[in-house]
Amino acid sequence: MKRLSLLCQFLSRGKVARGVDVGYDNFFRVKSLSVNGANPVSFGYDDDGLLVQAGDLTLARDSLNGRLTGTTLGNVSDSWTYNGFGEAQNYSASAGNVALYSVNFTRDNAGRITTKTETIGGVTSIYSYTYDPARGWQWQRSEPVHLRWQSKRAGIHGKKWYRISPDHRPTR
């Protein structure tokens, strides 16, 4: 009979030696992690065994079904809301009182997303989706033209910006 054991320490050798220590609770869930014995991260679970704490990150869950409703790390937080079928309806992220990102989904009777309204840094974009059984998903972007950052490697002349037109399509 083979004896099974849990990984408690992992060591790597080479130019940079590393060691990862893993601690477990009585239910064999990871209780703590540390790299090279420094800065241990502890993990916490609710009565249903769902993760609710990972270091300084706090995870909030719906008490009825355990679904994730939000997280908090310092002054950065996010939140999820769901419709009656358990499908994501809204998501938002903020740092303190500053809204960083939000998205809202509307769905058809089959649960397919028909509209996505997304706000990033105060700029709102609306995406409309339709489904044609013969051609599959079709989408249309219906917001004004915005300036977007192209790349950090834009050349020696510094930052370059480019326009995204309302009829811009993704490549497959």
Side-chain angles (χ1 to χ4, degrees), residues 42-153:
S42 60
F43 296 86
Y45 302 87
D46 65 10
D47 292 338
D48 294 319
L50 299 173
L51 185 67
V52 294
Q53 191 81 33
D56 293 334
L57 177 70
T58 302
L59 293 87
R61 297 188 175 276
D62 186 319
S63 61
L64 296 176
N65 53 35
R67 191 174 24 225
L68 184 67
T69 57
T71 62
T72 303
L73 179 64
N75 74 335
V76 177
S77 63
D78 68 355
S79 66
W80 285 96
T81 60
Y82 305 90
N83 66 18
F85 295 103
E87 300 160 331
Q89 190 170 9
N90 295 298
Y91 172 78
S92 63
S94 61
N97 293 332
V98 178
L100 301 174
Y101 177 80
S102 69
V103 64
N104 173 274
F105 302 104
T106 54
R107 299 173 184 271
D108 64 12
N109 290 336
R112 298 178 296 219
I113 296 172
T114 56
T115 306
K116 177 177 81 169
T117 304
E118 184 176 63
T119 303
I120 303 173
V123 178
T124 300
S125 300
I126 300 171
Y127 302 85
S128 297
Y129 303 90
T130 57
Y131 185 74
D132 178 355
R135 296 186 307 180
W137 282 104
Q138 304 294 313
W139 73 279
Q140 175 181 341
R141 191 173 180 169
S142 57
E143 87 284 352
V145 174
H146 300 292
L147 293 176
R148 302 271 174 109
W149 172 244
Q150 181 179 4
S151 170
K152 289 184 178 180
R153 295 180 290 182

Side-chain angles (χ1 to χ4, degrees), residues 29-45:
R29 299 175 299 207
V30 174
K31 184 171 100 175
S32 64
L33 281 175
S34 66
V35 177
N36 292 335
N39 304 321
V41 176
S42 60
F43 296 86
Y45 302 87

